[in-house]
Amino acid sequence: MKLVSWNVNGLRACMKKGFADFFKEADADLFAIQETKMQEDQLDESMTFEGWHRYMYSAEKKGYSGTMVYAKEEPLNVIYGIEGDETGEGRVITLEYPAFWFVCAYVPNSKDGLTRLPYRMEWEEMLKAHLKKLDETKPVIYTGDLNVAHEEIDIKNPAANRKNAGFSDEEREKMTQLLASGFTDTFRYLYPEEVKYSWWSYRFKARERNAGWRIDYFLVSDRIKDQVNDAMIYDTVTGSDHCPVGLDIRF
């Protein structure tokens, strides 16, 4: 089974930059999208792919946040949001399949000066509770823009960014706690020493210099980590400030 996730930084904009070409080329079974920045009434025919089911969770605020999942196989159930999160930011979609749960998330950014860090910390606890509850019934595959570079290997300039959003001690510790609670970072599990990034600032020619961050992930329940064949970072794919990430797993 092949799974892909991509923060498109605006689906309508990304459609004009080759999204459909990559979508068809990837030929995934599930394709998760973050930061759609659109409402359902803004969908058009270019975003409808024959043979695919589409599930969309938009933010109440127009042009902001939002998640979507394309699925080849219709799920048993779809859950929009997580318990306790009343912000209406469209951040989490959960699909249930016979053998696993699939969770697509766009984790809140802590913002400059870490002004939204307190909310981010609360949200992380809600999300962990959601994942743990799902994990009690069947294994979980959790993907998306998690907005944190977990270890120093996951960021080009760790020393300069230690107190910045996405690499604060607090955010990194939340990721450590989540992994310790029963989940595996699939890319780092397979490639413990490999340096690859999934996000680059639009400023200072960061992508040209590969001054990036690895903040997009596929995590799985520990008990299925040995079913993972490969974890991919498609860092040559453009169209957003993020690149897609992928997972090949046996079920």
Side-chain angles (χ1 to χ4, degrees):
M1 173 173 272
K2 186 179 181 183
L3 315 173
V4 171
S5 176
W6 194 2
N7 179 320
V8 294
N9 193 16
L11 182 56
R12 288 169 294 173
C14 197
M15 289 296 299
K16 299 174 183 177
K17 301 175 184 176
F19 175 86
D21 292 335
F22 177 74
F23 182 90
K24 293 169 184 174
E25 178 186 327
D27 192 29
D29 296 285
L30 287 161
F31 197 115
I33 299 171
Q34 304 85 46
E35 212 170 355
T36 57
K37 294 185 177 181
M38 60 184 295
Q39 311 301 121
E40 284 202 55
D41 61 9
Q42 295 173 306
L43 290 166
D44 60 38
E45 289 185 3
S46 71
M47 301 167 193
T48 300
F49 298 98
E50 186 177 354
W52 289 81
H53 304 278
R54 182 179 61 211
Y55 305 94
M56 186 175 186
Y57 188 33
S58 299
E60 293 173 6
K61 179 182 176 181
K62 292 185 177 181
Y64 178 72
S65 188
T67 46
M68 182 188 291
V69 177
Y70 287 98
K72 279 186 178 176
E73 182 182 332
E74 189 173 2
L76 302 173
N77 187 28
V78 181
I79 303 168
Y80 297 95
I82 54 176
E83 186 175 350
D85 183 10
E86 306 297 335
T87 58
E89 294 182 353
R91 292 191 176 274
V92 183
I93 302 177
T94 302
L95 277 61
E96 180 183 7
Y97 285 96
F100 63 93
W101 296 96
F102 183 75
V103 181
C104 163
Y106 177 37
V107 174
N109 191 303
S110 295
K111 302 296 185 184
D112 290 343
L114 301 178
T115 56
R116 216 182 186 201
L117 182 62
Y119 169 68
R120 163 76 177 262
M121 296 293 98
E122 293 176 11
W123 195 94
E124 292 266 19
E125 287 301 312
M126 295 178 215
L127 188 280
K128 184 168 75 169
H130 179 68
L131 297 177
K132 292 295 291 178
K133 185 176 180 180
L134 298 176
D135 194 46
E136 290 174 1
T137 61
K138 60 185 78 175
V140 174
I141 299 171
Y142 171 44
T143 189
D145 174 2
L146 306 193
N147 256 319
V148 62
H150 184 218
E151 304 288 356
E152 291 193 354
I153 191 175
D154 298 316
I155 186 170
K156 180 68 172 181
N157 297 304
N161 284 289
R162 186 171 172 190
K163 295 185 179 181
N164 290 341
F167 197 63
S168 69
D169 292 347
E170 294 90 341
E171 292 162 311
R172 295 170 65 197
E173 177 59 24
K174 284 294 185 188
M175 174 64 98
T176 297
Q177 292 172 8
L178 177 59
L179 294 173
S181 74
F183 297 93
T184 296
D185 172 356
T186 58
F187 182 80
R188 195 53 69 211
Y189 173 65
L190 293 179
Y191 305 106
E193 305 298 330
E194 187 163 347
V195 175
K196 267 197 169 185
Y197 305 124
S198 67
W199 175 80
W200 302 261
S201 171
Y202 280 134
R203 297 178 293 176
F204 313 121
K205 297 185 177 180
R207 193 155 190 174
E208 292 178 31
R209 299 184 294 109
N210 199 28
W213 304 44
R214 187 175 75 96
I215 61 175
D216 301 87
Y217 296 79
F218 269 95
L219 307 187
V220 299
S221 298
D222 284 346
R223 63 187 181 278
I224 59 170
K225 66 183 181 183
D226 290 333
Q227 294 169 222
V228 174
N229 295 322
D230 200 5
M232 302 81 81
I233 297 178
Y234 299 98
D235 54 0
T236 61
V237 175
T238 58
S240 169
D241 51 348
H242 294 250
C243 74
V245 295
L247 183 71
D248 184 338
I249 187 168
R250 301 184 303 279
F251 276 104

